[in-house]
Amino acid sequence: QVQLVESGGGSVQAGGSVRLSCAASGRTFSNYVMGWFRQAPGKEREFVAAISWSGGTAYADSVKGRFTISRDNAKNTVYLEMNSLKPEDTAVYYCSADRKQIPTSVWSSYAYWGQGTQVTVSS
């Protein structure tokens, strides 16, 4: 059974940084794209970033230049380094995974999801 467990969320002031981690277990995640999505209250879930097994990445325009996604394949872990945070980055952040080659931004194309971790950015 695939399990994704996020950690690292919390509260931070605008301009600060947070690093999220997502530990995957249950199978070998070779050829799996790992992604991060977020959902703010009253809003739809939106794409943040994704990374392929080989390291190819994709980012939402709203986070380009501020967020960095990376992965450690030996540890089956994906990270999201978030810098220059803004109040509008406040959301529950979800880790996702799916067996494919190319990172995509469509949330419905990901089969596996974590439980989410809250990130709150205050002004």
Side-chain angles (χ1 to χ4, degrees), residues 11-93:
S11 297
V12 64
Q13 289 191 329
S17 298
V18 170
R19 188 193 197 205
L20 303 182
S21 300
C22 172
S25 61
R27 64 181 60 194
T28 301
F29 284 84
S30 58
N31 296 321
Y32 272 69
V33 167
M34 306 292 292
W36 288 98
F37 289 75
R38 66 187 181 186
Q39 189 166 17
K43 295 187 177 182
E44 294 185 352
R45 188 169 300 192
E46 65 173 358
F47 171 72
V48 176
I51 186 168
S52 68
W53 174 259
S54 60
T57 58
Y59 293 94
D61 288 343
S62 59
V63 307
K64 280 182 181 177
R66 300 189 299 123
F67 291 11
T68 301
I69 189 170
S70 60
R71 66 191 290 170
D72 184 332
N73 290 332
K75 296 182 178 179
N76 279 344
T77 301
V78 62
Y79 306 97
L80 186 68
E81 184 75 35
M82 304 187 292
N83 299 314
S84 302
L85 283 162
K86 305 174 182 179
E88 51 263 44
D89 294 317
T90 295
V92 177
Y93 283 72

Side-chain angles (χ1 to χ4, degrees), residues 36 79 96 110 121:
W36 288 98
Y79 306 97
S96 61
Y110 289 80
V121 185

